[in-house]
């Protein structure tokens, strides 16, 4: 699957919704697992602000890649953020979009640097 690195340098990133377990099957509530590592996956909504534009994106990260207190409004850095285009067909209807995945999501210190790590 094609992965496109996302440059976050110069962007302001903050938690819009704290991390929650990613669910693979809504009916059984089975948690999603990384197929390469076997690690449980988490999702969180991140407010991405750049050049006067703001957008909330859902980011998936492995459970071990979450560090610091990630409450709503917390400034964060995303390590190795990539975008993955996807497409599927369900009941004869094609759907498509972009999913976001990061190796790590780290809370920034209140007085710390705003140097955001790019992919």
């Amino acid at each position: 699957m094609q992965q496109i690195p996302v440059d976050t340098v110069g962007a302001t990133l903050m938690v819009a919704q704290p991390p929650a377990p990613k669910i693979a099957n809504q009916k059984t509530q089975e948690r999603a697992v990384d197929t390469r590592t076997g690690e449980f996956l988490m999702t969180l909504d991140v407010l991405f602000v750049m050049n006067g534009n703001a957008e909330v994106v859902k980011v998936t990260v492995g459970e071990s890649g979450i560090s610091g207190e990630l409450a709503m409004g917390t400034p964060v850095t995303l390590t190795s953020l990539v975008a993955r285009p996807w497409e599927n067909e369900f009941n004869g209807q094609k759907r498509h979009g972009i999913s976001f995945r990061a190796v790590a999501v780290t809370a920034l210190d209140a007085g710390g640097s705003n140097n955001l790590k790019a992919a």
Side-chain angles (χ1 to χ4, degrees):
M1 178 183 291
Q2 181 181 7
Q3 295 184 19
I4 303 164
V6 178
D7 183 3
T8 60
V9 174
T12 299
L13 305 171
M14 67 180 66
V15 176
Q17 284 293 323
K22 183 171 183 170
I23 303 300
N25 183 323
Q26 294 296 330
K27 288 182 182 179
T28 65
Q29 290 298 298
E30 177 186 356
R31 290 190 61 188
V33 175
D34 185 302
T35 55
R36 284 190 356 258
T37 66
E39 180 176 28
F40 284 120
L41 296 174
M42 303 290 285
T43 61
L44 71 155
D45 290 347
V46 175
L47 179 64
F48 189 104
V49 183
M50 186 175 221
N51 300 327
N53 296 311
E55 186 160 344
V56 174
V57 295
K58 185 171 293 298
V59 178
T60 300
V61 64
E63 210 168 34
S64 67
I66 295 177
S67 59
E69 179 63 34
L70 298 179
M72 189 181 305
T74 303
V76 293
T77 183
L78 299 172
T79 303
S80 299
L81 180 64
V82 294
R84 295 178 179 169
W86 59 269
E87 181 176 281
N88 64 25
E89 189 170 334
F90 185 71
N91 289 336
Q93 231 177 3
K94 285 191 176 184
R95 299 178 54 181
H96 61 276
I98 299 172
S99 64
F100 294 90
R101 178 83 183 252
V103 170
V105 179
T106 308
L108 292 175
D109 293 335
S113 166
N114 198 21
N115 184 14
L116 303 175
K117 297 177 185 176

